[in-house]
Amino acid sequence: MSRSVDLYGTAYGNFAAEVLAQVRRDTYGEDFGQSSWVTGPEYRRFFQLLELAAADHVLDVGCGSGGPALFLAGEAGCRVTGVDVSEAGIQAGLTLARQAGLDDRANFRRADVREPLPFPDGAFDAIVCMDAMCHMPDRGRLLGEWRRVLRPGGRMLYTDPVVVTGLVSSEELATRSSTGYFEFCPPGVNERSIGQAGFELVRAEDVTENEVEVSRRWHAARQQRAAELIRLEGEETFAGLQQFLATVHRLTSERRLSRFAYLGRKPGE
């Protein structure tokens, strides 16, 4: 059984470390503080699918360190509110917002998605959730909360990077879920959940190739800086994260686990 590995605490708690900035640059090409499978070109395409306008207010669920939310605010010109259960992530986001001079367009607050979202009905024009839905329990209830806080006609887009599309061993599942709580699901479950929550499913798209390539680059970038990262993280965490990334790459490249993007619309306009 794989041991638990603190991917997000390591990434957010050491966010400003130069070695991690170097790893992000090598991994993503365009570093905007992400720690998921999303790249700049892919995220910009998602903005277009959401038809974002400068007047929109977007909720980023599972915002992590806040970098992607600030990227969204800068690229689309809209307001963004990020929520995450990680206090280290929220503090990193607030710091980045001040440094970027985006305090007026980006806000971050800690929130546990197992509780009702701390926002009134119809507060947002769009919702994004990048590669974090698999970490959140009670997906149907959460989607219902998204529908509540979206205005009529509002859109939501999320990615699920652990859709089971082949045979996966118990050992591989344990390694793939070693970085926290996970829910794995077969094809069709997300589509059905979206409809049951009252959304119109506009688009479901296989975006596994991004995860294949990012996991390969991430593993290689970390391996290249093994000595520095071991000093920062410790040998056990370094080895655990390398095993995690190698497993992600193998499962996705063989399409035994796949990543999908789902675009939904709240009826009303």
Side-chain angles (χ1 to χ4, degrees):
M1 198 73 172
S2 292
R3 294 183 177 182
S4 176
V5 181
D6 188 11
L7 169 62
Y8 301 106
T10 299
Y12 305 154
N14 300 307
F15 183 83
E18 177 57 28
V19 65
L20 290 184
Q22 292 171 354
V23 167
R24 288 195 302 270
R25 285 193 293 271
D26 285 0
T27 300
Y28 301 106
E30 190 174 8
D31 168 27
F32 47 89
Q34 66 269 56
S35 57
S36 62
W37 314 113
V38 70
T39 57
E42 181 183 62
Y43 212 15
R44 290 187 184 94
R45 189 169 66 82
F46 290 164
F47 301 162
Q48 293 172 351
L49 291 175
L50 285 163
E51 300 174 2
L52 296 180
D56 287 342
H57 188 186
V58 181
L59 176 65
D60 183 352
V61 180
C63 66
S65 62
L70 295 171
F71 181 75
L72 194 162
E75 291 278 324
C78 51
R79 285 191 300 141
V80 183
T81 295
V83 294
D84 199 281
V85 72
S86 167
E87 184 61 34
I90 294 302
Q91 291 305 316
L94 291 169
T95 299
L96 286 174
R98 285 194 298 271
Q99 291 173 346
L102 289 171
D103 306 59
D104 58 334
R105 278 194 278 157
N107 185 39
F108 300 94
R109 59 190 295 181
R110 187 184 180 280
D112 188 337
V113 296
R114 292 173 295 183
E115 310 273 339
L117 291 170
F119 306 107
D121 296 359
F124 298 96
D125 301 287
I127 294 175
V128 294
C129 182
M130 293 294 102
D131 299 321
M133 183 64 95
C134 57
H135 302 307
M136 300 175 187
D138 201 355
R139 191 167 308 194
R141 184 201 60 80
L142 179 59
L143 285 168
E145 274 292 282
W146 289 10
R147 188 181 188 280
R148 179 184 68 78
V149 301
L150 272 177
R151 63 163 175 80
R155 294 190 169 208
M156 64 85 175
L157 189 151
Y158 75 87
T159 54
D160 185 344
V162 291
V163 177
V164 182
T165 49
L167 297 174
V168 186
S169 72
S170 58
E171 183 178 351
E172 288 170 326
L173 281 177
T175 301
R176 183 61 181 87
S177 57
S178 61
T179 57
Y181 176 83
F182 274 80
E183 289 188 351
F184 299 83
C185 71
V189 169
N190 282 298
E191 292 90 334
R192 187 163 63 251
S193 298
I194 288 166
Q196 289 172 344
F199 286 101
E200 172 196 351
L201 179 63
V202 178
R203 184 186 187 105
E205 180 182 350
D206 187 329
V207 290
T208 309
E209 194 55 38
N210 239 54
E211 190 173 1
V212 173
E213 188 61 19
V214 167
S215 59
R216 181 188 67 79
R217 291 178 181 173
W218 198 346
H219 184 278
R222 286 176 52 82
Q223 198 63 46
Q224 186 180 346
R225 299 168 176 85
E228 288 179 85
L229 289 170
I230 287 170
R231 284 195 293 273
L232 183 69
E233 303 168 349
E235 287 189 20
E236 186 175 331
T237 295
F238 176 81
L241 287 176
Q242 291 303 87
Q243 183 184 17
F244 166 78
L245 291 168
T247 301
V248 171
H249 181 70
R250 182 173 68 253
L251 289 172
T252 53
S253 61
E254 295 173 1
R255 295 305 194 269
R256 292 188 285 136
L257 285 182
S258 297
R259 178 174 179 259
F260 283 82
Y262 303 94
L263 175 66
R265 176 183 174 274
K266 178 178 175 177
E269 286 186 1

